[in-house]
Amino acid sequence: MSHHPQDAIAPHGGHLINRIASPGQKQEFLDQADSLPRIQLTERSLSDLILIAIGGFSPLNGFMEQKDYEPVVTDMRMANELPWAIPITLPVTEEEADRVKEGSWVRLDDPNGRFVGVLELTQKYRYNKALEASNVYRTEDINHPGVKVVYEQGPINLAGPVWLLQRDPHPLFPNYQVDPAESRKIFRENGWKSIVAFQTRNPIHRAHEYITKCALESVDALFLHPLVGATKEDDIPADVRMRCYEILLEKYYPKDKVMLAINPAAMRYAGPREAIFHALLRKNYGCTHFIVGRDHAGVGDYYGTYDAQYIFDEFEPGELGILPMKFEHAFYCTVTQGMATTKTSPSTPEQRIHLSGTKVREMLRDGKLPPPEFSRPEVAAELARSMHK
């Protein structure tokens, strides 16, 4: 499936991948369901399978072979030189790898054991975990949630093209499940030529509202694209975050310039590398611009405050295709009495109101609402309600 000539931007690599089985193919796979060797996917691998199938990871049509995996880990490029920042692999145990053979089909089950897809196994290969950790995550510290996953997963990657049996509606947010072919169609129908994407895994506060609106001042539309795949245990649950976005969009944004949809990806917490990855993913959804804020996709103190912005400079301007829009940390400035960043505000640090996510969670736990300069009152009330269920 290629893209439409009137799309604002072509998918990464030029073609939108579609690996959702046709009804006929699906039936063929179901007929073989009991005879195929099976691999049970983790929540993350299931997310990856879905994103490959719907074209979110174009040009990938399956899990990476060694020839792409290695240069992606070391140089952020596939074998054909196309930029790509995060390896998309299917790691398995020795025992699982022994059960499948190259050149055959493998049945993929979701974490509950349901048959969801197939892998045409072209290759099994060993990989270097320490190298993947130090390059992709910039640390080998097992306390880093992304590194922890790498060290706990199996030592062998299975590779090859995949098929998803069928695209199911999201169990929590079916109305916000808009896949790349569909988002591109909506952008075209609205006549939007420039669309900025905003990635988030946290509830949206006024700092985010401010930078998304700053970005919106210079493009046609905003694609608010919260991540709803696997996140850390202490991140605020997806359903609560979605209600916060709905409330905010209802009251504080123009109706005809903003689109809210879910990103089914799992969070890797890879900081700068994940910022590139998130940008390319949004390019596949049809966005022309991508907001990169403070410590994008970071965790703890593993990355410098603006490392995720600097990494974009490692590519030639046209290579990524999608344009980063870089923003500093925003806050409420008591001097100018409005939202600002250090670029526009004359304030000293003590004249600024900004709270960390951790601080907000503490306040909510103690039954206090964050101040209106930090969080819109309706959003704060929604967060407080969810905390005290």
Side-chain angles (χ1 to χ4, degrees):
M1 177 166 128
S2 75
H3 61 286
H4 196 278
Q6 275 145 2
D7 281 351
I9 192 170
H12 198 46
H15 292 282
L16 196 62
I17 299 292
N18 173 15
R19 304 293 293 185
I20 303 169
S22 67
Q25 283 172 311
K26 181 184 159 183
Q27 196 49 56
E28 280 176 38
F29 294 137
L30 289 174
D31 292 344
Q32 304 172 56
D34 297 327
S35 59
L36 295 176
R38 43 180 100 176
I39 295 290
Q40 192 159 357
L41 301 174
T42 59
E43 194 182 352
R44 173 192 286 187
S45 294
L46 176 61
S47 273
D48 289 346
L49 169 67
I50 289 168
L51 278 151
I52 293 166
I54 64 176
F57 287 170
S58 300
L60 301 187
N61 67 359
F63 291 103
M64 285 182 174
E65 290 188 0
Q66 197 166 8
K67 68 174 194 310
D68 284 321
Y69 169 81
E70 289 180 350
V72 163
V73 167
T74 54
D75 305 316
M76 289 194 290
R77 288 181 189 281
M78 296 191 207
N80 64 2
E81 294 291 301
L82 199 66
W84 194 266
I86 299 264
I88 302 298
T89 56
L90 179 54
V92 296
T93 62
E94 301 266 1
E95 188 247 339
E96 287 174 315
D98 287 343
R99 289 208 311 265
V100 295
K101 57 175 190 292
E102 292 179 356
S104 60
W105 291 92
V106 178
R107 166 179 164 167
L108 302 175
D109 288 359
D110 73 7
N112 303 318
R114 208 169 54 104
F115 182 14
V116 289
V118 290
L119 164 70
E120 192 180 336
L121 183 63
T122 55
Q123 191 185 40
K124 339 182 235 194
Y125 60 95
R126 287 181 187 278
Y127 64 101
N128 181 333
K129 290 186 175 189
L131 190 72
E132 183 172 327
S134 60
N135 277 282
V136 176
Y137 298 96
R138 299 191 178 184
T139 176
E140 289 172 47
D141 181 356
I142 193 79
N143 295 310
H144 181 295
V147 173
K148 185 171 189 284
V149 171
V150 174
Y151 281 128
E152 288 175 355
Q153 70 195 17
I156 297 169
N157 285 337
L158 301 185
V162 295
W163 290 101
L164 182 69
L165 291 194
Q166 62 186 41
R167 181 66 171 122
D168 294 321
H170 192 281
L172 294 175
F173 319 112
N175 302 343
Y176 292 111
Q177 179 163 292
V178 182
D179 292 343
E182 178 70 8
S183 55
R184 287 172 167 273
K185 183 165 168 275
I186 294 168
F187 296 168
R188 279 199 306 276
E189 287 169 353
N190 286 325
W192 295 339
K193 297 279 177 247
S194 51
I195 306 100
V196 65
F198 183 64
Q199 150 69 31
T200 168
R201 67 172 196 260
N202 290 316
I204 251 189
H205 296 299
R206 289 195 59 184
H208 307 118
E209 182 189 330
Y210 174 74
I211 63 176
T212 53
K213 285 179 174 174
C214 284
L216 191 47
E217 290 287 2
S218 57
V219 294
D220 295 341
L222 168 69
F223 188 52
L224 184 60
H225 205 211
L227 180 143
V228 298
T231 56
K232 307 196 305 307
E233 275 72 41
D234 62 341
D235 279 353
I236 287 178
D239 57 323
V240 178
R241 292 185 280 135
M242 286 303 283
R243 280 200 304 279
C244 293
Y245 305 136
E246 287 172 336
I247 290 165
L248 202 63
L249 290 184
E250 186 55 44
K251 293 208 57 166
Y252 296 101
Y253 281 85
K255 294 270 178 293
D256 55 351
K257 299 267 192 290
V258 187
M259 183 170 151
L260 173 64
I262 52 177
N263 168 17
M267 198 60 209
R268 284 162 164 90
Y269 304 96
R273 286 265 194 146
E274 198 160 7
I276 299 286
F277 179 61
H278 280 160
L280 294 175
L281 181 72
R282 282 16 183 262
K283 175 187 180 182
N284 286 329
Y285 275 84
C287 299
T288 55
H289 294 69
F290 181 66
I291 292 171
V292 189
R294 182 186 61 107
D295 195 25
H296 184 101
V299 62
D301 298 320
Y302 290 101
Y303 310 109
T305 312
Y306 295 107
D307 283 359
Q309 296 183 356
Y310 306 143
I311 196 172
F312 281 83
D313 303 333
E314 294 180 29
F315 296 92
E316 294 298 317
E319 280 194 304
L320 296 175
I322 188 166
L323 295 168
M325 295 181 93
K326 302 171 181 180
F327 288 93
E328 295 200 357
H329 189 39
F331 47 79
Y332 184 88
C333 166
T334 56
V335 181
T336 57
Q337 296 188 331
M339 299 302 295
T341 72
T342 49
K343 280 188 167 176
T344 51
S345 160
S347 59
T348 57
E350 55 282 353
Q351 294 171 313
R352 299 168 192 166
I353 298 173
H354 62 87
L355 307 170
S356 69
T358 318
K359 179 80 181 135
V360 173
R361 282 195 293 269
E362 272 170 25
M363 292 182 78
L364 293 167
R365 263 198 302 272
D366 299 339
K368 294 203 272 285
L369 290 188
E373 296 85 356
F374 176 78
S375 204
R376 295 292 189 182
E378 299 86 347
V379 171
E382 181 57 49
L383 288 172
R385 240 200 324 279
S386 73
M387 276 277 177
H388 296 287
K389 272 190 187 143

